[in-house]
Amino acid sequence: MGRVHQNLKVKVPDPRLAIIEKRLKQVNRIIVVASGKGGVGKSLVATTISLWLSRKGQRVGLLDLDFHGPSCHIILGAKEVAPTEERGLIPPEVHGVKFMSVIYYIGDRPLPLRGDEISNAFVELLTITRWGRLDYLVVDVPPGIAEEVLDIIRLIKRGEFLIVATPSALATTTVARLSQLLQELQVPVLGAVENMCPSETGTEGAEKFGTTLLGRIPFDPEVEEKLGDPELLLRTKFARAVEAIVDKIRT
Amino acid sequence: MISSLLAVAKEKGAKEVAEAKIKLGKMQQIDIDILNLAFRELTRGTLLEKTKIKVEPEETRFRCRACGHEWNFEAPGKSEEEEAIHFVPELAHSFLRCPRCRSPDFEIMGGRGVWVEYIKISR
Ligand SMILES: Nc1ncnc2c1ncn2[C@@H]1O[C@H](COP(=O)(O)OP(=O)(O)OP(=O)(O)O)[C@@H](O)[C@H]1O
Ligand SMILES: [Mg+2]
Ligand SMILES: [Zn+2]
C-alpha cells in the first residue's frame, strides 16, 4: 500500500494563556481594585495599598491596567525608570513596589484602543511581565465592567476584588451592580471601601453596596499636593485610613 | 506548538510527519534559524524528529478602519517603536497613524504570533 499524504490544518491553542498562569505562579495574592464607577479614587487607593504593603515588609507588585488613562505612575512619582528586558520584562521597583504600566512605552501619548484590542493588550502584558516572587499583586482597573474586569475574571480566577465607592448615590448604584455581577459569577470579593467621605467613622448603611464594608476613607484636601511623593502621601489622613483597610485585607 | 503538533499527528494516526509549515509573525522578532534549531532540539526522539519544517515569515500588516487603506509595517532598524510593538502589538496605536488619512483607528491584520499552517502525514 502506498503512503497516504494528507494536508491537515493544525489548531494551536493560544500559548499566551498557559504562559500567564506560569507568570503568576509565584504570586501569593492578587488584589483587584475596581469600581464600575469612574473617578472614585481607585488608582489612589490601589497605589496607596501597594505602598503600605511594601512598608509592612511584603513583596508587592502594582499593575496599572488603565490603558486609556494610566495614572498610578503619577501617584508613585515613577520617572526615568523602565522594565529590564530578560526573557520577558522585569518591572522596575519604585518606592519598594514592582511597577508595571504601558506608560514606559507610550509616555504622554494617547493610546486609542477598541474593545478586543484592550483584551489583547491585557493578555500580552500579562504574558510578558515577569513578577517573580510576590506576596501581593495589586491591580488598578479602569472604570466600567468591560474588557479589563471581564478578562480578569476570565484569566485570573483567584483575583480578589476590592470595590471602591463614594457616598454619592450616583456611585452607589453602579458599585452595587458590580457587586451583583461578581457575586453571580462567584468571584472572590474582599469587600467595599467608601472613599471621599465627609468623616471616616462608622460602617453603618453599608448594605447598599451589596458586600461588606471594609472601611471609610475621608475626603482629604491635602492628598493633591502629595501626589508623586509617596513618603509624604503615606502621612496623610487619607493614607492612614487606607492603612486600616490594608490591615483588614492581610488578616 | 510542538505538543499541539504531536497531538494532531497522533489523533490522525500518523506514522510519519513529512512536513510542517510554520508561520512566524514578524512582530514577534524571532530569528528563523533559532526557531529551526529549537524545533530540532525539542523534537528529538519524537514523531517529529525527521519532520521537515518550512518556516514562513508573515508581514506586519495593518488596515485602517476609517478609510480602508491597508499597509505593511517596516520598522526602521532597531527603533523604540519596534521594541514596543514586539512586547505589546496594540501599542502601535500610540505612535502609528494610517499613512493615507492619519487615523489611529486601524486593525492589526497580520504579523503576530507563531502558528502551524498545515502538516503532511503518512500512515
Ligand atoms: N479621599 C480623597 N480625598 C481627596 N481627594 C481624593 C481622595 N480620593 C481620591 N481623590 C482624588 O480624586 C481624583 C480621582 O482619583 P483617582 O484618579 O484615584 O480615581 P479613579 O477611580 O482611579 O479614576 P478613574 O475612574 O478615572 O480611573 C484624584 O484627583 C484623586 O487625587
Ligand atoms: Mg484610575
Ligand atoms: Zn486611513
Side-chain angles (χ1 to χ4, degrees):
Chain A
M1 198 188 98
R3 296 204 298 186
V4 189
H5 274 279
Q6 278 200 336
N7 279 6
L8 300 169
K9 296 241 175 263
V10 182
K11 272 206 196 81
V12 182
D14 191 344
R16 301 177 302 179
L17 303 186
I19 299 174
I20 290 175
E21 209 154 287
K22 209 178 108 205
R23 296 286 196 217
L24 296 173
K25 218 175 188 157
Q26 291 174 291
V27 177
N28 189 24
R29 288 179 69 186
I30 301 171
I31 312 289
V32 182
V33 181
S35 173
K37 185 74 177 171
V40 293
K42 294 178 294 296
S43 301
L44 193 58
V45 168
T47 309
T48 309
I49 287 176
S50 64
L51 287 165
W52 275 127
L53 286 168
S54 160
R55 275 305 169 84
K56 291 169 189 281
Q58 304 296 297
R59 288 163 298 193
V60 189
L62 174 64
L63 173 63
D64 191 339
L65 259 197
D66 193 336
F67 299 129
H68 293 149
S71 38
C72 296
H73 62 290
I74 300 169
I75 304 165
L76 276 179
K79 278 184 219 119
E80 284 159 29
V81 285
T84 314
E85 198 188 334
E86 199 190 308
R87 288 176 291 124
L89 293 174
I90 302 173
E93 203 165 297
V94 184
H95 294 277
V97 175
K98 279 191 182 174
F99 176 57
M100 195 59 179
S101 165
V102 291
I103 53 115
Y104 300 126
Y105 302 100
I106 67 168
D108 291 332
R109 291 186 298 266
L111 180 59
L113 297 181
R114 285 173 181 264
D116 59 335
E117 294 167 339
I118 293 176
S119 235
N120 258 319
F122 171 79
V123 170
E124 296 284 357
L125 204 59
L126 283 183
T127 306
I128 202 107
T129 308
R130 292 179 60 199
W131 295 102
R133 201 173 283 281
L134 290 183
D135 297 303
Y136 290 91
L137 174 61
V138 181
V139 186
D140 178 29
V141 176
I145 38 179
E147 283 72 18
E148 299 84 353
V149 168
L150 295 174
D151 280 332
I152 286 176
I153 295 171
R154 177 169 68 104
L155 299 171
I156 314 181
K157 299 248 179 322
R158 60 199 175 92
E160 304 166 66
F161 277 75
L162 181 73
I163 303 174
V164 182
T166 72
S168 167
L170 299 182
T172 321
T173 53
T174 303
V175 164
R177 276 182 233 279
L178 174 63
S179 293
Q180 193 188 325
L181 179 73
L182 297 177
Q183 237 162 50
E184 184 187 330
L185 299 176
Q186 297 184 330
V187 172
V189 177
L190 290 165
V193 300
E194 196 173 35
N195 188 23
M196 305 195 199
C197 295
S199 75
E200 66 182 282
T201 48
T203 52
E204 70 285 343
E207 318 73 48
K208 61 186 177 212
F209 303 120
T211 175
T212 46
L213 184 64
L214 292 177
R216 292 198 152 101
I217 305 169
F219 181 85
D220 181 353
E222 298 205 341
V223 159
E224 183 63 31
E225 60 196 52
K226 310 284 159 51
L227 299 177
D229 191 336
E231 305 305 318
L232 293 180
L233 177 66
L234 289 185
R235 283 186 221 148
T236 59
K237 269 203 202 113
F238 163 83
R240 276 197 292 277
V242 173
E243 185 184 12
I245 291 157
V246 167
D247 290 337
K248 281 195 183 166
I249 293 173
R250 289 185 67 193
T251 55
Chain B
M1 183 183 83
I2 289 169
S3 51
S4 314
L5 267 172
L6 283 170
V8 171
K10 206 172 146 197
E11 187 195 308
K12 301 290 172 195
K15 271 218 194 71
E16 234 181 68
V17 180
E19 187 183 307
K21 176 144 175 214
I22 294 165
K23 293 280 265 185
L24 178 63
K26 276 197 171 173
M27 252 186 267
Q28 242 55 41
Q29 296 185 354
I30 299 172
D31 197 272
I32 291 187
D33 293 338
I34 290 174
L35 187 80
N36 267 310
L37 216 69
F39 189 88
R40 290 275 78 95
E41 195 68 31
L42 295 168
T43 53
R44 203 167 292 152
T46 73
L47 197 59
L48 302 172
E49 185 161 13
K50 298 226 165 64
T51 302
K52 193 172 143 229
I53 59 167
K54 276 193 184 167
V55 185
E56 204 177 86
E58 193 194 56
E59 295 295 326
T60 303
R61 191 162 180 81
F62 297 108
R63 188 177 67 191
C64 179
R65 289 192 182 97
C67 77
H69 181 63
E70 286 191 24
W71 75 99
N72 287 354
F73 173 64
E74 284 299 339
K78 261 262 167 233
S79 61
E80 218 172 289
E81 279 84 1
E82 197 181 2
E83 273 304 74
I85 71 166
H86 161 54
F87 295 131
V88 180
E90 282 65 34
L91 296 178
H93 291 95
S94 82
F95 51 80
L96 283 188
R97 295 293 179 260
C98 167
R100 187 153 93 191
C101 77
R102 313 305 304 161
S103 170
D105 188 11
F106 50 80
E107 273 177 88
I108 302 173
M109 305 291 289
R112 85 189 307 169
V114 184
W115 67 99
V116 183
E117 208 164 61
Y118 63 78
I119 56 173
K120 282 187 184 160
I121 63 165
S122 56
R123 35 185 172 202

